[in-house]
């Protein structure tokens, strides 16, 4: 298997549920990212991990909790979400986390609906 | 604050009808401008990176150009399979790790 794989593809959850999104990259990259994509809005960067260390957190609410156990895996733990958190959550990876070549490889995303 | 504006929001073309998509940007110290293609139900797929004004890149029916204020994605003789949302993003010196994305142009090519 190659590329960036995200599971599940679709998720429906209530506001009191706890769930996790999973991302795995098979590209040997060193940096991994979580993005949020809402309808008609630009992609919003949520978190960046570089060699398993979180390097950026774009003022994301604490109900979103990322975890990066190694350079190939990334999780996004969700709890007590709000309906406005419904969106497509995209995972991405890149090879060159420090340089100018910020070419990202994206997964297909998890379409999240919060009821 | 870095800003990226794409126009038009949506574009419908007949097969073979060439056109251009626009990406205007305001950043402090452009390090790179990126074009991505996104199909429904999928993540964005990388197309091009442009680094300096005057630079051009081509891939099949697509050609990307860059000036100091904007980038164009020219589509020559498009086919229905070119239908997708095209995203523009910039990487600026002020936030070297982050990409600032535009809202995209949804392109539909009719047979």
């Amino acid at each position: 298997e190659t590329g960036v794989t995200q599971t599940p593809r679709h998720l429906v959850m209530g506001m009191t549920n706890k769930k996790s999104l999973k991302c795995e990259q098979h590209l040997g990259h060193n940096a991994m990212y979580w993005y949020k994509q809402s309808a008609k809005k630009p992609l919003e960067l949520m978190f960046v991990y570089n060699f398993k260390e979180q390097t950026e957190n774009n003022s994301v609410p604490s109900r979103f909790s990322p975890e990066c156990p190694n350079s190939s895996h990334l999780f996004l733990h969700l709890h007590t979400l709000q309906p406005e958190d419904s969106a497509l959550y995209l995972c991405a990876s890149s090879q060159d986390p420090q340089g100018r070549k910020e070419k990202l490889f994206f997964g297909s995303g998890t379409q999240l609906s919060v009821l | 604050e870095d800003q990226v504006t794409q126009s038009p929001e949506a574009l419908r073309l007949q097969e073979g009808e060439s056109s251009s998509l626009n990406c205007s940007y305001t950043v402090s110290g452009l390090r790179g401008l990126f074009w991505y293609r996104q199909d429904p139900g999928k993540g964005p797929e990388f197309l091009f990176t442009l680094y300096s004004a005057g630079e051009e890149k081509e891939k099949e029916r697509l050609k990307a150009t860059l000036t100091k204020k904007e980038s164009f994605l020219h589509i020559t003789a498009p086919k229905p399979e070119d239908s997708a949302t095209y995203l523009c993003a910039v990487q600026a010196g002020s936030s070297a790790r982050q990409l600032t994305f535009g809202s995209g142009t949804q392109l539909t090519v009719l047979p």
Side-chain angles (χ1 to χ4, degrees):
Chain A
E1 191 174 358
T2 59
V4 180
T5 304
Q6 290 187 242
T7 55
R9 290 296 311 276
H10 303 274
L11 179 62
V12 179
M13 57 187 291
M15 289 191 287
T16 58
N17 292 157
K18 290 184 179 181
K19 297 287 184 183
S20 296
L21 310 185
K22 179 183 176 182
C23 176
E24 183 175 0
Q25 60 98 358
H26 307 272
L27 300 169
H29 290 168
N30 298 313
M32 296 188 77
Y33 311 74
W34 280 116
Y35 278 88
K36 175 183 179 181
Q37 187 175 34
S38 303
K40 304 291 185 181
K41 290 186 176 180
L43 270 73
E44 300 173 50
L45 179 65
M46 300 175 72
F47 302 104
V48 182
Y49 277 82
N50 182 10
F51 292 100
K52 303 188 300 179
E53 299 296 323
Q54 186 179 132
T55 55
E56 293 190 35
N57 175 340
N58 268 12
S59 302
V60 180
S62 59
R63 56 185 184 271
F64 295 91
S65 175
E67 178 189 359
C68 188
N70 55 60
S71 295
S72 299
H73 294 86
L74 185 65
F75 296 89
L76 187 63
H77 304 298
L78 315 172
H79 64 97
T80 59
L81 294 191
Q82 304 298 312
E84 58 264 29
D85 296 322
S86 298
L88 179 68
Y89 288 85
L90 291 162
C91 173
S93 69
S94 70
Q95 186 173 18
D96 187 12
Q98 298 299 331
R100 68 189 304 191
K101 298 178 182 178
E102 200 67 84
K103 176 179 174 181
L104 299 176
F105 292 79
F106 285 88
S108 294
T110 295
Q111 186 65 53
L112 173 67
S113 296
V114 181
L115 304 179
Chain B
E1 183 181 342
D2 301 335
Q3 289 191 335
V4 179
T5 303
Q6 291 189 246
S7 61
E9 287 188 16
L11 180 62
R12 292 167 67 91
L13 300 173
Q14 290 295 135
E15 184 173 1
E17 179 186 1
S18 301
S19 187
S20 298
L21 313 182
N22 178 263
C23 173
S24 299
Y25 62 90
T26 305
V27 299
S28 50
L30 180 72
R31 298 186 67 178
L33 185 140
F34 301 77
W35 282 99
Y36 288 84
R37 168 189 170 134
Q38 186 173 21
D39 293 300
K42 294 190 175 182
E45 178 184 352
F46 173 80
L47 291 174
F48 304 109
T49 309
L50 301 168
Y51 293 109
S52 57
E55 190 174 359
E56 299 182 352
K57 295 273 180 75
E58 284 190 66
K59 180 180 179 181
E60 296 181 353
R61 295 176 292 281
L62 300 177
K63 179 180 177 180
T65 61
L66 181 65
T67 72
K68 290 185 178 180
K69 295 181 179 180
E70 59 192 348
S71 176
F72 290 94
L73 185 64
H74 306 279
I75 304 176
T76 302
K79 298 182 178 182
E81 51 263 42
D82 294 321
S83 298
T85 296
Y86 290 86
L87 303 174
C88 170
V90 297
Q91 183 184 23
S94 59
S95 55
R97 287 301 324 284
Q98 292 198 28
L99 292 182
T100 301
F101 280 84
S103 298
T105 293
Q106 185 175 3
L107 174 66
T108 303
V109 182
L110 303 170

